């Protein structure tokens, strides 16, 4: 663990530093829009654009504070549930989509889906900095969060899957898997639930595949954790996949759900999502509920394991 104890703090500081350009860019968008010197994104009015980007400013500030909490002494004094929740949501947002962000960066592309409402006409240098912030924060959390959790709740990560009692198979895993299958179906070209097929692009397909993978991986991990089978698997393995998978379901769908509701209710002329509004709202709602319930199951199992190891 000594090696990881050195890597974790460096990764946390790196994550905070990497997210700083995104924060500054978003602040400049809000101030620039209010002053009338920067353009407003397609499909948005001034108030909507300012509110959306103010929310992402707040998310960036929380992300930087979270990264510092993972390494600074005061982070161990913050209520564990608060740090765990923020780490879970942050991992769900950024760790889960690292394959997509890397794919997009390597191909020189970008996506509004992963950028929190970024304008497609942003300068190239801003796009590069946004991608850098996402990759840096995602990689930093991927390394720093496990080190922090292992330091704060060491007993929850040792032992085998079969060390604890078996639980009833959770319904949340079934719902999460169903959501994942919908996204995989869309990723391979399925058209049921798609209202505007021409609006789909490469980024949309890749992101649907990534979301689908993590939904299925998280559901499978929760199924393993609840059933305590295969008994000889190390406990940390399903905990890790369940953590990121359930976080991806909850975080991304909690973000997309109000946006899709807004599109469904207002039908803005410049915003045409590929999916049917009714279908995609139902999918994201199921994902939010399933992700939260999966995390509850994961937390109960981790707590039982911790208690058993102390005994």
């Amino acid at each position: 663990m000594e090696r990881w104890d050195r890597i974790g703090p460096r990764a946390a500081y790196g994550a905070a530093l990497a997210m700083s350009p995104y924060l500054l860019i978003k602040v400049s968008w809000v101030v620039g829009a209010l002053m009338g010197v920067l353009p407003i994104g397609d499909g948005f009015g001034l108030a909507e654009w300012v509110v959306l980007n103010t929310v992402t400013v707040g998310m960036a500030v929380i992300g930087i504070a979270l990264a510092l909490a993972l390494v600074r002494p005061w982070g161990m004094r913050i209520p564990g549930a608060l740090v765990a929740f923020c780490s879970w949501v942050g991992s769900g947002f950024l760790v889960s989509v690292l394959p997509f962000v890397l794919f997009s960066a390597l191909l020189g592309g970008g996506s509004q889906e992963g950028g929190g409402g970024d304008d497609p006409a942003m300068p190239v240098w801003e796009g590069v900095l946004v991608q850098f912030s996402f990759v840096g924060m995602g990689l930093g959390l991927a390394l720093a969060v496990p080190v922090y959790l292992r330091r704060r709740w060491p007993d929850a990560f040792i032992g085998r899957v079969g060390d604890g009692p078996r639980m009833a198979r959770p319904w949340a895993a079934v719902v999460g898997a169903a959501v994942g299958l919908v996204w995989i179906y869309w990723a391979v070209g399925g058209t049921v639930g798609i209202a505007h097929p021409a609006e789909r692009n490469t980024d949309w397909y890749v992101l649907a595949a990534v979301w689908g993978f993590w939904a299925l991986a998280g559901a499978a991990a929760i199924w393993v954790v609840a059933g305590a089978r295969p008994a000889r698997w190390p406990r940390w393995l399903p905990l890790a996949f369940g953590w990121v998978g359930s976080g991806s379901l909850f975080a991304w769908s909690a973000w997309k759900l109000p946006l899709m509701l807004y599109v469904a209710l207002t039908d803005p002329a410049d915003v045409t999502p590929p999916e049917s509004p009714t279908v995609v709202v139902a999918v994201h709602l199921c994902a939010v509920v399933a992700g939260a319930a999966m995390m509850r199951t994961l937390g109960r199992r981790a707590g039982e394991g911790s208690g058993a190891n102390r005994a």
Side-chain angles (χ1 to χ4, degrees):
M1 281 298 297
E2 291 183 2
R3 180 181 179 185
W4 285 106
D5 286 338
R6 292 193 299 270
I7 293 175
R10 295 172 183 173
Y13 284 126
L17 183 62
M19 185 51 59
S20 299
Y22 181 80
L23 172 62
L24 295 176
I25 288 171
K26 287 293 187 167
V27 170
S28 73
W29 285 9
V30 172
V31 175
L34 290 173
M35 296 178 63
V37 297
L38 288 180
I40 297 171
D42 291 342
F44 293 93
L46 175 61
E48 298 155 350
W49 183 247
V50 169
V51 168
L52 175 64
N53 285 287
T54 299
V55 170
T56 57
V57 166
M59 293 170 65
V61 170
I62 292 173
I64 292 172
L66 169 63
L68 295 177
L70 297 177
V71 63
R72 301 301 301 164
W74 52 265
M76 297 295 287
R77 297 192 294 270
I78 297 175
L82 177 60
V83 180
F85 176 77
C86 292
S87 300
W88 174 61
V89 172
S91 299
F93 262 125
L94 295 175
V95 176
S96 66
V97 295
L98 276 176
F100 165 77
V101 176
L102 293 173
F103 169 84
S104 181
L106 288 174
L107 294 186
S111 172
Q112 298 178 64
E113 297 279 0
D118 299 340
D119 189 273
M122 76 171 75
V124 173
W125 65 269
E126 281 192 354
V128 170
L129 286 177
V130 168
Q131 296 282 25
F132 169 77
S133 291
F134 288 160
V135 172
M137 188 69 178
L139 289 174
L141 290 179
L143 295 173
V145 168
V147 175
Y148 175 89
L149 297 177
R150 179 68 174 80
R151 187 168 71 249
R152 188 151 189 176
W153 296 285
D155 292 338
F157 296 89
I158 61 177
R160 303 284 177 177
V161 169
D163 291 346
R166 299 186 70 178
M167 301 168 58
R169 297 293 190 181
W171 59 266
V174 178
V175 177
V179 170
L181 289 174
V182 170
W183 280 327
I184 293 295
Y185 168 73
W186 285 343
V188 299
T191 57
V192 176
I194 301 297
H196 305 282
E199 297 297 323
R200 296 180 294 184
N201 56 27
T202 301
D203 282 350
W204 184 91
Y205 283 112
V206 174
L207 193 56
V210 169
W211 282 346
F213 166 78
W214 281 112
L216 292 173
I222 299 302
W223 197 264
V224 167
V225 164
R229 296 291 185 276
R232 296 190 60 81
W233 280 14
R235 185 192 303 275
W236 65 265
L237 184 61
L239 287 180
F241 278 95
W243 175 274
V244 178
S246 62
S248 176
L249 277 166
F250 179 85
W252 278 107
S253 287
W255 170 252
K256 296 289 290 182
L257 181 58
L259 295 179
M260 291 300 100
L261 280 172
Y262 168 80
V263 171
L265 294 174
T266 63
D267 192 23
D270 297 329
V271 179
T272 307
E275 311 93 338
S276 165
T278 302
V279 172
V280 76
V281 164
V283 169
H284 284 307
L285 181 59
C286 288
V288 169
V289 174
M294 287 164 63
M295 184 56 189
R296 184 172 182 270
T297 299
L298 201 67
R300 286 174 56 196
R301 178 57 84 193
E304 289 173 359
S306 179
N309 287 319
R310 285 195 300 269

